[in-house]
């Protein structure tokens, strides 16, 4: 049955990007909604608190303004000229010359108080009997209304804030004047305060915006405000209830289909109240701007999160793509490919393991190839040497006997040693024991001693306990030959070659050392790394040891210029 291919197959990078973006959008959405709700609550609370604080501060400023007026009234009440003038009026002496002088002194005294005070328009003295005395800085008419006399006298000398004249825009403040000597009432005074000073304070409040702020007296009449049309009008019942609450908190009132913030503050004279009425819609614009701001922030955050998600996905998927491409190239036959991912995460570790695998495979291929070539070479050499090895061996043996018969035993001994070496080389497997290897190097040393005589001294220091242990054939003779040719060949005397061995920690340790010319570490590396055409025998021994026992079992060469060289073989002790 044929499998149906899926229409939609997403790559891991696409899945990861979608997951990251989905998570970011969900988190950003939740945080934006929560923060907007919290910000709105905070702003509403702070806005209301700000309105209340500003109302209190404005009330404080009005209290100072009213306090200045009351202080002025108090100072005028106790002025001797005021007391004298009203006393004479009470005694019907106002038509006398003394009365004239008293009036002039009164006017001069009052002018001193009000002339430079912009808040005060006029002062009217209403005696118990007689004509009221009007002292004014303007040409306005200030009528005297004796209807409120009882209310003024009930205050017992304290200032009484009366109504407002909306046409002339002044507020009347009255106070009883008592005789300092008898404490009986001499009459009362009425001070006309400019309403404009109050409205300036109220109009200077920017927080009111499209709303209304006004001062309402004890009768519910508006005596000042930021809207002249409100002067001398009565509060509606809804606002009256707020005034009756005597509370500084903000009321949320719906009136005429319009929501309003309404707050009230009682002034210090305890009879007047400062009230602010602010349409909520005037502050809703702030929340609209806040909503737009959060919408913009939300959009930017989404775009940034999308960009970050894509970059993060690319940073995550690109190493995977690189590793996948490397694996595909390797699968297509490029055995020298290397992954370039260098991160320290799991992908980096996977890349490192892949590179190690490629290295091991190449190393294994190289070993197999090298071993195959060596075997082929050995087989070729074996075929060549097997042309007639016994014929060559018998010929050397014949030379040995003939040299002895002719009286030249040295030639015979050399021929026999050479024959034994040849027989050792072509006979048997690639492995032998330490004893047979020593016999072979003794035959080799016998020939070299005849050649170099006293120039080079050869010593063999290998204990008999090592004799049974196995080792590859012909690994010592090339090392000895290299020491002679490259280390000691130019020495005329005093040359030494020492072959030693020992067993340590179940390892066979064989060394060939000389006191020759030595060599640099660079030359040592070139020999072991096949970078030099010299010391081919040493390099072959090193390669054979690595093939038989692993990379860590190659030759160890220590050499010092003009001191000598030591070559060490370390292999497992196997008997």
């Amino acid at each position: 049955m044929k499998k149906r291919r899926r229409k939609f197959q997403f790559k891991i990078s696409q899945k990861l990007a979608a997951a990251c973006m989905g998570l970011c959008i969900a988190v950003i959405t939740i945080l934006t909604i929560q923060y907007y709700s919290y910000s709105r609550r905070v702003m509403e609370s702070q806005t209301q608190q700000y309105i209340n604080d500003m109302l209190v501060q404005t009330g404080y400023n009005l209290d100072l303004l009213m306090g200045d007026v009351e202080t002025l009234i108090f100072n005028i009440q106790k002025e001797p000229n005021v007391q004298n003038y009203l006393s004479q009026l009470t005694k019907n002496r106002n038509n006398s010359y003394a009365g004239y002088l008293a009036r002039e002194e009164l006017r001069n005294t009052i002018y001193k108080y009000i002339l430079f005070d912009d808040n005060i328009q006029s002062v009217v003295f209403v005696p118990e009997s007689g004509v009221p005395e009007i002292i004014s800085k303007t040409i306005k008419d200030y009528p005297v209304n004796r209807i409120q006399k009882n209310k003024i006298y009930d205050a017992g000398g304290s200032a009484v804030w009366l109504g407002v004249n909306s046409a002339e825009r002044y507020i009347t403040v009255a106070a009883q004047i008592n005789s300092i000597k008898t404490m009986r009432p001499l009459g009362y005074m009425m001070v006309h305060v400019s309403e404009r000073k109050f409205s300036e304070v109220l109009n200077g409040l920017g927080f009111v915006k499209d709303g209304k702020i006004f001062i309402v007296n004890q009768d519910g009449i508006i005596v000042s405000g930021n809207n002249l049309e409100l002067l001398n009008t009565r509060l509606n019942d809804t606002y009256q209830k707020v005034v009756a609450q005597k509370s500084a908190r903000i009321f949320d009132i719906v009136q005429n289909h319009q929501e309003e913030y309404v707050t009230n503050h009682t002034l210090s004279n305890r009879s007047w109240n400062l009230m602010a009425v602010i349409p909520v819609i005037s502050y809703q614009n702030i929340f609209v701007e806040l909503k737009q701001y959060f919408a913009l922030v939300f959009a930017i955050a989404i775009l940034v999160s999308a960009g970050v998600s894509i970059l993060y996905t690319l940073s995550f998927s690109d190493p995977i793509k690189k590793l996948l491409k490397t694996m595909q190239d390797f699968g297509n036959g490029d055995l020298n490919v290397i992954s370039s991912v260098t991160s320290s995460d799991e992908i980096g570790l996977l890349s490192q393991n892949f590179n190690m695998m490629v290295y091991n495979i190449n190393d294994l291929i190289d070993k197999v190839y090298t071993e195959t070539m060596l075997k082929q070479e050995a087989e070729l050499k074996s075929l060549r040497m097997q042309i007639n090895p016994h014929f060559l061996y018998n010929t050397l043996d014949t030379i040995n006997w003939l040299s002895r018969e002719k009286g030249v035993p040295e030639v015979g001994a050399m021929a026999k040693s050479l024959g034994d070496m040849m027989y050792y080389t072509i006979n048997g497997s690639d492995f032998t024991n330490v004893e047979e290897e020593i016999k072979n190097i003794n035959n080799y040393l016998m020939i070299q001693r005849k050649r170099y005589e006293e120039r080079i001294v050869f010593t063999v220091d290998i204990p008999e306990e090592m004799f049974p242990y196995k080792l590859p054939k012909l690994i010592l003779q090339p090392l000895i030959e290299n020491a002679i040719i490259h280390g000691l060949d130019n020495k005329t005397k005093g040359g030494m070659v020492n072959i030693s061995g020992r067993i340590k920690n179940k390892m066979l340790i064989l060394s060939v050392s000389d006191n020759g010319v030595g060599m640099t570490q660079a030359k040592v590396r070139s020999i072991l790394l096949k970078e030099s055409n010299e010391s081919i025998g040493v390099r072959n021994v090193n390669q054979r040891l690595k093939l038989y026992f692993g990379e860590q079992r190659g030759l160890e060469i220590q050499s010092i210029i003009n001191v000598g060289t030591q070559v060490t073989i370390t292999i497992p002790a196997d008997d």
Side-chain angles (χ1 to χ4, degrees), residues 273-284:
N273 289 275
L274 177 64
M275 178 173 287
V277 179
I278 304 171
V280 174
I281 193 171
S282 65
Y283 279 91
Q284 290 293 341

Side-chain angles (χ1 to χ4, degrees), residues 25 63 68 87 118 140 151 166 193 205 207 209-210 275 286 314 366 379 394 401 403 415 526:
I25 291 173
D63 287 336
D68 290 342
S87 295
D118 295 336
K140 295 177 182 179
K151 180 187 294 187
S166 57
V193 182
L205 300 176
F207 76 93
K209 294 187 177 179
D210 301 327
M275 178 173 287
I286 298 176
L314 291 176
D366 186 60
E379 289 174 358
N394 291 333
W401 287 108
S403 62
S526 68

Side-chain angles (χ1 to χ4, degrees), residues 90 161 178:
T90 303
W161 290 82
N178 298 320

Side-chain angles (χ1 to χ4, degrees), residues 72-83:
L72 173 70
I73 291 174
F74 175 76
N75 291 331
I76 292 175
Q77 284 175 321
K78 61 185 181 62
E79 269 291 334
N81 291 331
V82 173
Q83 292 280 326

